[in-house]
Amino acid sequence: MQAPAAPSPAPSAATPLSYEQAGVVYDLIDPLKVAAQRAAAATATHLGSHGFSEVAASRGESAYVLDVGPFYLASIVECLGSKALVADEMQRLTGRSHYAGIAQDTIAMAINDLITVGATPLVVQAYWAAGGSDWFADNDRAQALVAGWKAACDTCKVAWGGGETPALAGIVEAGRIDLAASCTGIVSPKQRLSLGDALAPGDAIVLLASSGIHANGLSLARKLVERLPQGYLTEVAPGLRYGEALLAPTMLYSPVTEALWAAGIGVHYAANITGHGWRKLLRHPKALTYRIDAVPAVPPVLQFIQAQAGQGNEEAYGTLNMGAGFALFVAAADAERTVAIARAQGVEALVAGRVEAGEKQLLIEPLGVRFGADALHLR
Amino acid sequence: MQAPAAPSPAPSAATPLSYEQAGVVYDLIDPLKVAAQRAAAATATHLGSHGFSEVAASRGESAYVLDVGPFYLASIVECLGSKALVADEMQRLTGRSHYAGIAQDTIAMAINDLITVGATPLVVQAYWAAGGSDWFADNDRAQALVAGWKAACDTCKVAWGGGETPALAGIVEAGRIDLAASCTGIVSPKQRLSLGDALAPGDAIVLLASSGIHANGLSLARKLVERLPQGYLTEVAPGLRYGEALLAPTMLYSPVTEALWAAGIGVHYAANITGHGWRKLLRHPKALTYRIDAVPAVPPVLQFIQAQAGQGNEEAYGTLNMGAGFALFVAAADAERTVAIARAQGVEALVAGRVEAGEKQLLIEPLGVRFGADALHLR
């Protein structure tokens, strides 16, 4: 969800590209994040004055959870990031607006994070901040954004409660739009809460298929374009151009999590695979070994990016989703049924491995890749 | 919350300036808004699949409300807009960061809207999208934003649940930051819901004081700077410079609404006076006459803007808050107590007038200003 600084001259195709070379410098953001996290944590006490309490374990998780009595309330705000820049470029090149897909990507950012705590999403609010009132003058594009937003809400059975459509000349770049979604949901009944208490050795790891790059890794994907003589129009598979492949909308996973609950399957833990690739599987603080023995098919566009960027498997699986958009940790006995239920919702799935007692590590055995405990710093 | 296009040569001080001249063209945004509102309204049915329902009357109100059984859930997302540009300019001129105040402004945008429906705000999420990772390199400014955000959460007794701090080069302008806040709250007990059912002839209109311009009208305020030889450093009152006066943080009104409920006062209706100035008092669809017989003191910066822009009272009170940041409609018998409770919370207040049976209009008698039914189109 980051975007690069001004491009430098195109390196040779053999030169690997790292995320930092693509312009994102985490060192500058992180002291702020640390300060913000500390300050935010200190405000938890206010809930007590209303007779409520936060679920402290949710700080550091993908959505914020508080206990309001009969159930938990979960909330989140998530931005889309730079994928809109790819849509803009493809529109310039082909005349086609991809903003219906972009709308789905934005909503998916929020919903796929919210559901990891066991929440049912209820309401989405739209944040569409354009660089000027003229953004909306492209009526086809604006209507595509509306239609796509509604369609994603329909898929996830959430109410689109409203939103903000400001014109922010001077803050948002002319011709661009900053898209974000806030989402509120509930965890009901309370035992549906999945912050990982139940995550344990013996659990199965079920991976849900991605549709492509989703919305993380776009900085890298955009920087690679400089190396391609045909740019975004380069074919990554027969009849499939790079730009269009990148714009495949992010999968919406809440229909799967809702169907699992309805079928009586309790999800022990869930990870939304976004930035940091498969290292997200190491998210929970517990010391556990995650042993993967089967990997999903890699979408052509991700194979292409890995090859173009000259990345080995450790780097590729550590930054891109490589075919897995979401991970579910369920009781081993529920694994096959989980796959079947996902497929019934139109989402391909795979029993990819299992959780074991042991040191904190992720082992992707078919690839000989290992991520240790220090591979993921998200708290 | 809008910002102007590229500046044109400075007109004479006598030339009035309208909002459209300041660069915001509502005609372009509105067809999109209409389409979005229709699409959004159609998603309400999804709540039924969860056993919930929306409070339909909240569509068009300042926050979205749904019925989740024991209470109502309210949610909103609001952006700050271009006030950050004033903070940036003042920092350039004086070296002083105003981002603690900017944080309060952003939170106020969300909270002051949420509470109009009778909600108690519970959680705020921060959306801080910078034009690049380097925004955070100004450590004083970044820490001020954090500290101000926390302080505003403390004032409103809300939990800061988290947020997003993306670096969006290419979408957000270099050196700028797009600030927004999402807020979730509850209306509990349900009878606290104030969508205006109880608004009736005989009700008193209590106006809560603003601290200055708050966060609407900044486009105009910024355009006026071009006419001032000393720009933002122009004194608008002895020792008070224009830029600093503009940056006075928006008042936070939830401590008042919470105290009113605790004191047993039921608010019939509330209006957050933001864009459209006092025309916001005409917000409710009912045909009622709002008769104002006393107006609050006008903050020096707003007097200054009105004079500089050459605005008559009708235009000034129709675009700026002119000293009133929030309106409460209460039973006449509760009016004086409402003022006392507001003052006890540190907010100046005034019994400004009353609601009467009659055609839909707002009469500001001390100024001879009238706004008719067509003056406000927000639905």
Side-chain angles (χ1 to χ4, degrees), chain B residues 118-272:
Chain B
T120 295
L122 292 179
V123 184
V124 155
Q125 301 261 359
Y127 183 71
W128 303 344
S133 339
D134 60 294
W135 193 91
F136 306 101
D138 180 341
N139 194 53
D140 287 349
R141 179 175 62 180
Q143 296 296 343
L145 181 63
V146 170
W149 200 272
K150 177 181 185 299
C153 288
D154 290 341
T155 297
C156 297
K157 292 191 162 28
V158 294
W160 177 1
E164 264 276 78
T165 55
L168 299 183
I171 296 178
V172 175
E173 293 220 10
R176 304 299 190 193
I177 191 163
D178 181 12
L179 298 170
S182 69
C183 184
T184 306
I186 61 171
V187 180
S188 182
K190 282 176 149 175
Q191 51 262 45
R192 233 186 117 169
L193 186 67
S194 56
L195 294 178
D197 294 352
L199 178 62
D203 282 355
I205 305 171
V206 175
L207 296 177
L208 303 183
S210 67
S211 61
I213 196 171
H214 282 186
N216 287 84
L218 271 304
S219 305
L220 181 61
R222 292 175 58 232
K223 197 137 182 73
L224 285 173
V225 162
E226 297 158 24
R227 307 175 161 192
L228 306 171
Q230 293 181 299
Y232 283 114
L233 303 180
T234 308
E235 283 204 346
V236 301
L240 178 62
R241 300 184 290 191
Y242 185 49
E244 283 147 357
L246 289 174
L247 290 167
T250 305
M251 298 289 287
L252 295 162
Y253 296 115
S254 62
V256 177
T257 50
E258 289 301 296
L260 289 172
W261 180 258
I265 292 179
V267 171
H268 292 178
Y269 194 57
N272 185 20

Side-chain angles (χ1 to χ4, degrees), chain B:
Chain B
M1 290 192 292
Q2 314 297 342
S8 41
S12 73
T15 315
L17 250 194
S18 72
Y19 221 61
E20 211 166 274
Q21 283 173 303
V24 178
V25 185
Y26 282 112
D27 282 353
L28 289 175
I29 307 176
D30 290 349
L32 173 74
K33 281 190 167 176
V34 168
Q37 282 165 356
R38 275 204 210 112
T43 63
T45 60
H46 297 311
L47 293 173
S49 68
H50 305 291
F52 301 139
S53 59
E54 77 170 21
V55 176
S58 73
R59 284 198 180 271
E61 284 299 319
S62 298
Y64 182 67
V65 184
L66 61 148
D67 188 340
V68 292
F71 42 70
Y72 296 117
L73 208 59
S75 63
I76 191 170
V77 64
E78 280 287 333
C79 81
L80 170 64
S82 58
K83 192 165 179 174
L85 296 174
V86 179
D88 291 345
E89 191 55 20
M90 283 302 284
Q91 183 166 356
R92 197 184 64 75
L93 292 169
T94 70
R96 187 181 154 200
S97 164
H98 288 266
Y99 268 81
I102 286 291
Q104 176 167 326
D105 286 302
T106 310
I107 287 178
M109 292 302 102
I111 287 204
N112 292 345
D113 264 354
L114 192 93
I115 62 176
T116 61
V117 299
T120 295
L122 292 179
V123 184
V124 155
Q125 301 261 359
Y127 183 71
W128 303 344
S133 339
D134 60 294
W135 193 91
F136 306 101
D138 180 341
N139 194 53
D140 287 349
R141 179 175 62 180
Q143 296 296 343
L145 181 63
V146 170
W149 200 272
K150 177 181 185 299
C153 288
D154 290 341
T155 297
C156 297
K157 292 191 162 28
V158 294
W160 177 1
E164 264 276 78
T165 55
L168 299 183
I171 296 178
V172 175
E173 293 220 10
R176 304 299 190 193
I177 191 163
D178 181 12
L179 298 170
S182 69
C183 184
T184 306
I186 61 171
V187 180
S188 182
K190 282 176 149 175
Q191 51 262 45
R192 233 186 117 169
L193 186 67
S194 56
L195 294 178
D197 294 352
L199 178 62
D203 282 355
I205 305 171
V206 175
L207 296 177
L208 303 183
S210 67
S211 61
I213 196 171
H214 282 186
N216 287 84
L218 271 304
S219 305
L220 181 61
R222 292 175 58 232
K223 197 137 182 73
L224 285 173
V225 162
E226 297 158 24
R227 307 175 161 192
L228 306 171
Q230 293 181 299
Y232 283 114
L233 303 180
T234 308
E235 283 204 346
V236 301
L240 178 62
R241 300 184 290 191
Y242 185 49
E244 283 147 357
L246 289 174
L247 290 167
T250 305
M251 298 289 287
L252 295 162
Y253 296 115
S254 62
V256 177
T257 50
E258 289 301 296
L260 289 172
W261 180 258
I265 292 179
V267 171
H268 292 178
Y269 194 57
N272 185 20
I273 298 174
T274 52
H276 305 94
W278 287 36
R279 290 183 283 165
K280 231 16 183 336
L281 299 182
L282 292 166
R283 189 184 182 79
H284 198 274
K286 282 182 187 173
L288 292 166
T289 288
Y290 304 88
R291 188 179 301 272
I292 301 292
D293 50 37
V295 295
V298 182
V301 72
L302 297 179
Q303 294 179 36
F304 181 81
I305 288 171
Q306 177 178 11
Q308 284 293 322
Q311 294 180 334
N313 280 330
E314 182 173 331
E315 184 166 10
Y317 280 75
T319 49
L320 303 169
N321 70 63
M322 300 308 277
F326 202 84
L328 295 159
F329 301 82
V330 296
D334 290 332
E336 291 301 339
R337 254 203 327 149
T338 295
V339 169
I341 286 165
R343 287 178 177 155
Q345 294 297 320
V347 179
E348 186 49 50
L350 171 74
V351 182
R354 60 199 175 281
V355 181
E356 299 176 348
E359 62 170 303
K360 183 166 177 147
Q361 59 181 345
L362 167 65
L363 306 167
I364 310 177
E365 290 185 325
L367 306 172
V369 169
R370 176 186 179 277
F371 292 107
D374 58 351
L376 186 64
H377 295 296
L378 283 180
R379 291 167 192 267

Side-chain angles (χ1 to χ4, degrees), chain A residues 234-332:
Chain A
T234 308
E235 282 205 347
V236 300
L240 178 62
R241 298 183 293 191
Y242 185 48
E244 284 148 356
L246 289 175
L247 289 168
T250 305
M251 299 288 288
L252 295 163
Y253 296 115
S254 63
V256 176
T257 51
E258 289 301 296
L260 289 172
W261 180 258
I265 292 178
V267 170
H268 292 178
Y269 194 56
N272 185 20
I273 299 172
T274 52
H276 305 93
W278 286 37
R279 290 183 282 164
K280 231 12 183 342
L281 300 181
L282 291 167
R283 188 185 184 80
H284 198 274
K286 282 182 186 173
L288 291 165
T289 288
Y290 305 87
R291 188 179 301 273
I292 301 293
D293 51 35
V295 294
V298 181
V301 72
L302 298 179
Q303 292 179 37
F304 181 82
I305 289 172
Q306 179 179 9
Q308 283 293 322
Q311 294 181 333
N313 279 329
E314 183 172 330
E315 184 164 10
Y317 281 75
T319 50
L320 303 169
N321 70 62
M322 300 309 277
F326 202 83
L328 295 159
F329 300 82
V330 297

